[in-house]
Amino acid sequence: MSAVYAPPSLAGTRHARSLLLAALGIAGAALLAPQLIAVNLAQACIVNDTPYLDLCPAAPAAREERAAQARARIAESPGDARAYVGLAFADASASAPRILQAAARVAPADANVATLSAARALERGDFPTAIAPLVDLVEYSNNDRAALVLARLIGSGQWQLLAEHVRPGTKWLHSVLAHMPRAERPVSTALPLIVLALDKGIFTPADLMPHVRQMKAAGAWGDAYSLWVALHAGASPTLYNASFDEPFEADGFDWEVGTQQPIGQSGAQVRRTSEEQRGPVLEIRFTGRPFLVPLVRQHLFLAPGRYRLRGDYKSSQLRIEHGLAWTMRCTATTVSAQSASLGDTGNQWQRFEFEFAIPANCGWVASLQLETIAPFEAAVGSRGRASFDAFSLEKLEQ
């Protein structure tokens, strides 16, 4: 095996991760319009099942009757927490805020009190006050509506309001992230909170890899890559897993193996295998059946400029007339550069290299991928074996 080319880590320490957070920080947006979150007492009625209290809006006379009943119960039993909760929901007078405070004192863990507290704060546009009860509703009551509201707040740039609630052992952020699609907000807007939660052990890398995939699918390449870097302790080599030493990780920025048919029907079987005196290498066996290209690829974040790719290659009984080639693409149809043809080497390792330029208009990512030089050869199928190892990618001086 050859050493992997790896530039200095971008965020290998907690301090560096804080710098990463600052770089990713979403500027505080203007306060949300009331219609954005649309939380009111009508929605509060379905939060908890209370056997004696209908939380849904009622006519003024009915509300007054319920308030009177609640006051009577409080007079008989000053410690009746349910009565305070009922009075808080039923009383619409100027004393309602004080009643809600009393209900919160006698029933601090009551989900209905938390709902009403959040609803009234949101109706006033007082988002900082609404956050704590909303978080409690998600954390302790698994409340979907509260999770949806928090997802909308995060998606509107208010993630800073939630940062202090990202604490070890909490689970509310899991639920909020799951509600981002329903809130029609990209998961990438929660990236600062995700990185905080990762630092505090709230998430494992396995929890977050699906979000990397979602960000890539949504075209949020920068956010997807930033999260990928955070999941790998800040390591950011120009070419990841360059010597194929580690098992491939799906959904991220490792090598991606092209979709092929099941093993018995596949025209190209791509795998990592062990080579004597080298260790793991990339191996491709061609079976004579048609196969899809690219056979393998990796998305790369490369600044404009010139680069050199080097690697080791060998093949045995390879029946591809025009050969294989490593290709750099800015898009699926735009070829930036291509290596020389890689044909049969008689099962001997050989060195190959090629230089290429990344233009300024290449976009967020370029793709390094293995293809057949002549597309028709993938369609008709080939035979033989090819192996690759010890890649390196370096930026050249201008």
Side-chain angles (χ1 to χ4, degrees):
M1 289 181 294
S2 178
V4 177
Y5 170 73
S9 169
L10 289 181
T13 65
R14 283 180 179 266
H15 173 66
R17 280 204 190 174
S18 68
L19 296 179
L20 175 62
L21 273 179
L24 296 172
I26 303 170
L31 290 178
L32 299 175
Q35 63 268 26
L36 181 63
I37 42 187
V39 174
N40 51 44
L41 297 183
Q43 296 168 328
C45 72
I46 62 172
V47 172
N48 247 16
D49 178 22
T50 49
Y52 72 95
L53 176 64
D54 180 5
L55 301 180
C56 295
R63 291 176 65 93
E64 291 174 4
E65 180 181 353
R66 291 171 186 165
Q69 292 173 353
R71 289 192 182 92
R73 288 198 301 273
I74 292 171
E76 294 176 2
S77 178
D80 188 338
R82 285 180 176 267
Y84 278 97
V85 173
L87 182 58
F89 273 91
D91 196 304
S93 68
S95 62
R98 292 195 300 274
I99 295 171
L100 180 58
Q101 290 174 2
R105 283 196 298 271
V106 297
D110 189 279
N112 291 320
V113 172
T115 300
L116 187 55
S117 298
R120 287 182 172 168
L122 290 170
E123 287 175 342
R124 298 193 306 269
D126 184 0
F127 303 116
T129 299
I131 295 300
L134 287 170
V135 168
D136 286 346
L137 283 168
V138 181
E139 181 73 21
Y140 302 113
S141 301
N142 197 28
N143 185 271
D144 289 339
R145 191 177 301 279
L148 182 61
V149 174
L150 290 174
R152 288 174 173 165
L153 283 165
I154 293 170
S156 301
Q158 303 297 315
W159 68 266
Q160 297 96 333
L161 298 177
L162 286 82
E164 67 177 280
H165 298 280
V166 180
R167 299 165 185 157
T170 57
K171 300 178 181 178
W172 62 269
L173 189 54
H174 291 260
S175 180
V176 171
L177 292 183
H179 280 77
M180 297 297 286
R182 183 181 167 197
E184 299 181 348
R185 302 294 185 270
V187 175
S188 59
T189 57
L191 185 55
L193 294 176
I194 292 172
V195 176
L196 279 175
L198 186 65
D199 267 342
K200 296 178 183 295
I202 295 171
F203 290 127
T204 67
D207 293 330
L208 296 173
M209 285 306 302
H211 296 299
V212 175
R213 180 180 66 246
Q214 291 171 17
M215 292 177 188
K216 288 170 61 179
W221 288 100
D223 291 335
Y225 187 69
S226 296
L227 178 54
W228 166 263
V229 169
L231 293 179
H232 291 78
S236 179
T238 305
L239 183 65
Y240 187 81
N241 202 3
S243 287
F244 310 100
D245 290 336
E246 302 297 329
F248 300 152
E249 295 184 36
D251 301 328
F253 291 86
D254 199 348
W255 296 104
E256 299 175 7
V257 176
T259 303
Q260 303 292 339
Q261 296 293 327
I263 292 296
Q265 307 171 31
S266 176
Q269 299 171 6
V270 184
R271 62 174 186 165
R272 290 171 64 252
T273 188
S274 183
E275 181 83 10
E276 187 175 356
Q277 297 181 345
R278 279 184 174 263
V281 300
L282 176 70
E283 180 185 81
I284 305 166
R285 292 179 179 266
F286 298 96
T287 66
R289 296 176 180 271
F291 56 90
L292 300 176
V293 292
L295 292 157
V296 64
R297 72 178 175 185
Q298 185 173 146
H299 289 107
L300 305 173
F301 279 74
L302 300 177
R306 293 197 60 78
Y307 295 82
R308 179 188 294 120
L309 177 73
R310 289 191 173 106
D312 291 347
Y313 159 75
K314 77 170 183 177
S315 60
S316 175
Q317 299 179 332
L318 187 63
R319 302 293 182 263
I320 301 180
E321 181 179 355
H322 295 279
L324 299 168
W326 286 95
T327 302
M328 289 296 307
R329 292 182 178 271
C330 286
T331 67
T333 58
T334 304
V335 177
S336 178
Q338 190 173 66
S339 72
S341 173
L342 303 174
D344 191 83
T345 69
N347 206 36
Q348 299 298 311
W349 284 101
Q350 296 182 2
R351 194 73 168 157
F352 77 93
E353 67 176 66
F354 73 103
E355 295 183 10
F356 59 91
I358 295 294
N361 62 350
C362 193
W364 268 108
V365 293
S367 177
L368 172 64
Q369 52 195 56
L370 183 63
E371 309 173 355
T372 55
I373 287 183
F376 77 88
E377 294 194 277
V380 300
S382 303
R383 289 193 178 274
R385 183 179 64 187
S387 300
F388 299 89
D389 188 28
F391 280 20
S392 68
L393 179 61
E394 61 179 322
K395 195 169 192 286
L396 303 176
E397 296 295 333
Q398 297 295 326

